[in-house]
Amino acid sequence: MDLRRVVVTGIGALTPIGNNAGAFWQGLTNGVSGAAPITKFNPEKFRTKFACEVKGFEVADFIDRKEARKMDPFTQYALVVSEEALKDSGINTEKINLDRAGVIWGSGIGGLKTFQEEVIGFARGDGTPRFNPFFIPKMIVDLSSGFISIRYGFRGPNFVTVSACASATNAIVDAFTYIRIGKIDVAIAGGSEAAVTEAGIGGFNAMKALSERNNSPATASRPFDKDRDGFVLGEGAGALILEEYEHAKARGARIYAELTGGGMSSDAYHITAPHPEGLGALNVMKNALDDAGITPQEVDYINVHGTSTPLGDISETQAIQRVFGKHAYNLNISSTKSMTGHLLGAAGAIEAIASVLAIKHQLVPPTINHFTDDEAFDPKLNFTFNKAQERKVNVVLSNTFGFGGHNFSIIFRKLQE
């Protein structure tokens, strides 16, 4: 069948380093760290006492307080970035076929704050069940896409993907596919997460997944550094407006980039650890390249998963070298998680936005917090350490991997008329 072209016409971001897409990009290119001591609860008794929180966000600036009380923060975040992205796209919802407009969202955990509060409230009571009537709707992950769909009247496909830290990229790939095969013309796709809670920090601490660099939070997320000791938990959301190319062109839309391919794979190895040889990462990047019809030599920049964990950074880098061969030395590689922390199910969305903005501005954001070389990494690879680099950026590949062995890669390309 003839596959339709898919382009990005709008973006929206709410992140630990900027509360809209412009501020997010400025934070990235200036090498700003979003990590700081936790303010959402008292972390004194936790091994990790810091996170990458969203800062200065007042939900009442965006959503009526009465409505906001029906939503967990992860859904509030989803609505805020969707509105920004839709406005950015210039789409007039009265002039498109809403039956052919979808919402495909991603979240790895969903309403963790709501679940924690309701269970604690019950446990502290006398055993009488007194639960908020919105407990279940606030908690379940699909209400994020549901609220977005209701707000804008989008009557096409409407669901949430759950594939741990790959959830948002999973959602983007699904939306891309629906547009590509002609099921819909427009989609709001992305992801949101709000897991900086006692349960979130405590749970990841129990797994020994988080950095415990409490004496220097701003330098704790250090992908590819010899002294990396785990990831920094982040929160926020990102949204992209994906649109069929002819549909976008007909309304005179500004186009950021073309989404040309998506790959999927599974490690089939372990519930939390990556495949030791990076097999899943290798396969997903190959699948994305094949899907896009792009050779490895055409890729200019890889926005890596790069979480700052001892094993994950190594396996991903090994996979890159096996897929790209000698061309790996011509690439820019960077982990924007060094600045944003790890937004779990929302990570792929803000990293997709970083990728399209790298194409727009012809600038690669850095991997900050590099202090000590690790002999596990080839010194000839360009990890874009500590400072953004100008270069020709026509093609960007973005990786996201999740617990359970879920792997997704997407490829953006500068628009070719």
Side-chain angles (χ1 to χ4, degrees):
M1 65 184 298
D2 291 330
L3 297 175
R4 305 192 307 169
R5 296 172 70 184
V6 181
V7 293
V8 179
T9 57
I11 54 175
L14 176 63
T15 79
I17 61 171
N19 289 5
N20 56 58
F24 168 55
W25 179 248
Q26 185 176 17
L28 287 181
T29 55
N30 289 336
V32 174
S33 171
I38 292 169
T39 64
K40 294 181 180 293
F41 62 90
N42 183 355
E44 181 182 350
K45 294 184 179 180
F46 290 78
R47 292 207 306 272
T48 295
K49 300 172 174 56
F50 60 93
C52 286
E53 297 176 325
V54 168
K55 302 165 186 66
F57 172 74
E58 295 291 340
V59 67
D61 293 341
F62 303 93
I63 305 169
D64 177 78
R65 287 188 183 276
K66 185 177 179 181
E67 284 299 300
R69 285 197 295 268
K70 301 175 184 177
M71 306 171 195
D72 186 87
F74 93 100
T75 297
Q76 296 171 1
Y77 296 169
L79 279 174
V80 169
V81 297
S82 295
E83 181 175 353
E84 182 190 354
L86 202 59
K87 286 181 178 178
D88 186 49
S89 73
I91 288 176
N92 183 339
T93 56
E94 295 180 357
K95 294 184 178 181
I96 64 172
N97 184 347
L98 295 175
D99 293 333
R100 293 182 58 81
V103 182
I104 304 177
W105 204 249
S107 186
I109 297 178
L112 184 61
K113 182 175 186 288
T114 294
F115 186 83
Q116 174 184 294
E117 289 176 345
E118 292 293 320
V119 171
I120 289 174
F122 175 71
R124 287 176 176 170
D126 61 5
T128 303
R130 297 184 182 91
F131 290 93
N132 188 315
F134 292 104
F135 172 28
I136 300 302
K138 288 173 71 174
M139 179 190 70
I140 54 180
V141 293
D142 67 292
L143 259 291
S144 51
S145 67
F147 269 109
I148 297 168
S149 174
I150 292 166
R151 171 167 286 196
Y152 301 111
F154 282 20
R155 296 188 293 266
N158 171 235
F159 60 91
V160 167
T161 57
V162 181
S163 41
C165 303
S167 296
T169 311
N170 186 346
I172 293 167
V173 169
D174 283 4
F176 167 63
T177 301
Y178 275 97
I179 297 171
R180 204 182 195 192
I181 65 176
K183 296 292 185 182
I184 53 176
D185 301 318
V186 177
I188 300 175
S192 57
E193 206 78 89
V196 181
T197 67
E198 292 92 333
I201 293 291
F204 283 114
N205 264 161
M207 294 175 61
K208 301 187 184 302
L210 297 181
S211 170
E212 298 179 18
R213 203 177 298 276
N214 295 300
N215 61 337
S216 182
T219 68
S221 183
R222 45 179 75 185
F224 313 112
D225 188 88
K226 185 174 184 177
D227 297 321
R228 65 193 181 280
D229 70 330
F231 70 82
V232 178
L233 186 60
E235 62 172 357
L240 295 88
I241 304 301
L242 301 183
E243 194 168 350
E244 192 270 324
Y245 173 60
E246 296 297 337
H247 186 275
K249 193 166 70 169
R251 65 179 187 84
R254 180 267 324 278
I255 294 171
Y256 283 98
E258 183 172 2
L259 176 53
T260 60
M264 299 171 277
S265 77
S266 176
D267 281 4
Y269 172 71
H270 190 273
I271 60 171
T272 57
H275 192 282
E277 298 174 5
L279 183 60
L282 180 149
N283 286 339
V284 76
M285 287 187 281
K286 281 187 173 181
N287 291 342
L289 290 166
D290 289 345
D291 190 50
I294 285 174
T295 66
Q297 290 70 33
E298 293 177 84
V299 176
D300 302 300
Y301 165 45
I302 301 178
N303 185 296
V304 292
H305 187 57
T307 58
S308 184
T309 57
L311 296 178
D313 290 0
I314 292 173
S315 64
E316 183 174 10
T317 304
Q318 289 175 340
I320 288 170
Q321 291 192 273
R322 290 173 65 188
V323 171
F324 290 90
K326 292 181 180 179
H327 183 63
Y329 302 122
N330 301 323
L331 294 165
N332 273 76
I333 297 166
S334 77
S335 170
T336 48
K337 288 185 180 74
S338 60
M339 294 170 278
T340 66
H342 192 350
L343 271 64
L344 307 180
I350 64 166
E351 288 159 17
I353 292 168
S355 298
V356 300
L357 290 176
I359 292 171
K360 177 184 177 181
H361 296 287
Q362 298 290 283
L363 184 68
V364 177
T367 304
I368 68 167
N369 295 331
H370 181 71
F371 304 100
T372 307
D373 289 341
D374 186 338
E375 58 275 9
F377 303 110
D378 189 330
K380 292 184 289 184
L381 293 173
N382 182 0
F383 290 104
T384 323
F385 284 136
N386 297 325
K387 187 177 180 180
Q389 292 180 13
E390 294 183 1
R391 69 162 290 166
K392 182 178 179 181
V393 184
N394 287 331
V395 179
V396 180
L397 183 149
S398 182
N399 287 332
T400 47
F401 313 139
F403 286 169
H406 311 291
N407 307 305
F408 286 83
S409 295
I410 46 178
I411 296 177
F412 296 98
R413 184 171 204 154
K414 188 174 182 179
L415 183 67
Q416 298 176 327
E417 302 287 350

